[in-house]
Amino acid sequence: MLGDDAELTAAVLAAQHGDENAFRAVYRAVHPRLLGYIRTLVGDTDAEDVASEAWLQIARDLDRFGGDADRFRGWAARIARNRALDHIRMRGRRPVVGADETELTDKPAESDTAGEALEALATGHTMDLIAQLPQDQAEAVVLRVVVGLDAKSAADTLGKRPGAVRTAAHRGLKRLAELLGVEAAPGGAGGTVVPLDGVPPQRGRTPGAVAPGGVTQSRPRTQKDM
């Protein structure tokens, strides 16, 4: 697993030059979080299929990408979102996350409830709780916390202003902190939370790394290769 941004940037560059091992390393580093984002849009049943479509486009268009690890995450997230929305339109369904569209109207609290929620998310309390958020908050939280995008990249992905994404992420994290409080209370209604399986720690926290292998002859990449 790639351990930091420099290694992911190098792996993307090597993959652009036909290194299949590097492309696999990029896939292993980015896919779990990207899949988590797709699940917030289309649900568990169709997430793998949409992710496959997204990675086929990523592989096809990789030569046209330019930038570092952060830009790559944002670029991949935009592709994944577009494929997910295409899938929703084709199926004639709305996104499954955020059935409650009620917006939180309170102002940001002085206490660091968002930070507490962020810490809890890092320990595995993830998609079940995020699924209880309104759609805009769910997407903002997943892009910022799970995928690891900054506010500008997340805003580019969603077609919104960075300030709007920051607000949605803050509100979502605050609501998650409230949900975590209910879950932790004796007799609470939280129940069992299913972690986001296979999601590594945030970038820069993973010890060790898999360096891209030697350059091999370039050929069309398939899901079997990843």
Side-chain angles (χ1 to χ4, degrees), residues 100-112:
D100 177 11
E101 297 295 333
T102 303
E103 286 289 341
L104 299 178
T105 57
D106 50 351
K107 294 181 180 179
E110 293 182 3
S111 61
D112 190 18

Side-chain angles (χ1 to χ4, degrees), residues 67-121:
D68 59 9
D70 273 337
R71 287 180 180 273
F72 181 81
R73 291 187 188 96
W75 180 71
R78 286 193 295 277
I79 289 174
R81 188 173 196 266
N82 288 337
R83 297 289 69 75
L85 295 180
D86 286 346
H87 181 83
I88 290 166
R89 284 190 289 266
M90 181 182 68
R91 298 290 185 181
R93 292 192 311 232
R94 294 178 61 82
V96 297
V97 173
D100 177 11
E101 297 295 333
T102 303
E103 286 289 341
L104 299 178
T105 57
D106 50 351
K107 294 181 180 179
E110 293 182 3
S111 61
D112 190 18
T113 53
E116 295 169 4
L118 182 64
E119 183 177 356
L121 282 172

Side-chain angles (χ1 to χ4, degrees), residues 14-192:
Q16 288 178 308
H17 287 83
D19 188 336
E20 297 293 336
N21 290 329
F23 187 83
R24 293 188 187 98
V26 171
Y27 176 86
R28 287 193 297 269
V30 176
H31 175 71
R33 296 181 184 279
L34 202 63
L35 181 62
Y37 177 46
I38 294 169
R39 281 174 175 157
T40 69
L41 296 169
V42 302
D44 288 337
T45 303
D46 298 329
E48 291 283 358
D49 288 342
V50 174
S52 295
E53 294 172 8
W55 278 104
L56 287 173
Q57 182 177 345
I58 290 169
R60 185 183 69 237
D61 296 345
L62 186 61
D63 290 345
R64 290 184 278 178
F65 168 76
D68 59 9
D70 273 337
R71 287 180 180 273
F72 181 81
R73 291 187 188 96
W75 180 71
R78 286 193 295 277
I79 289 174
R81 188 173 196 266
N82 288 337
R83 297 289 69 75
L85 295 180
D86 286 346
H87 181 83
I88 290 166
R89 284 190 289 266
M90 181 182 68
R91 298 290 185 181
R93 292 192 311 232
R94 294 178 61 82
V96 297
V97 173
D100 177 11
E101 297 295 333
T102 303
E103 286 289 341
L104 299 178
T105 57
D106 50 351
K107 294 181 180 179
E110 293 182 3
S111 61
D112 190 18
T113 53
E116 295 169 4
L118 182 64
E119 183 177 356
L121 282 172
T123 64
H125 290 67
T126 49
M127 302 314 296
D128 273 7
L129 294 182
I130 291 173
Q132 300 179 46
L133 300 176
Q135 182 69 29
D136 65 328
Q137 294 175 18
E139 285 199 71
V141 168
V142 172
L143 287 174
R144 295 296 310 278
V145 178
V146 180
V147 181
L149 303 185
D150 59 23
K152 184 180 183 306
S153 296
D156 290 342
T157 299
L158 297 174
K160 297 183 178 181
R161 290 168 294 140
V165 173
R166 290 190 189 96
T167 298
H170 176 87
R171 289 175 174 176
L173 288 170
K174 183 177 179 182
R175 177 57 182 153
L176 286 174
E178 295 169 357
L179 293 172
L180 287 165
V182 170
E183 184 180 75
T192 302

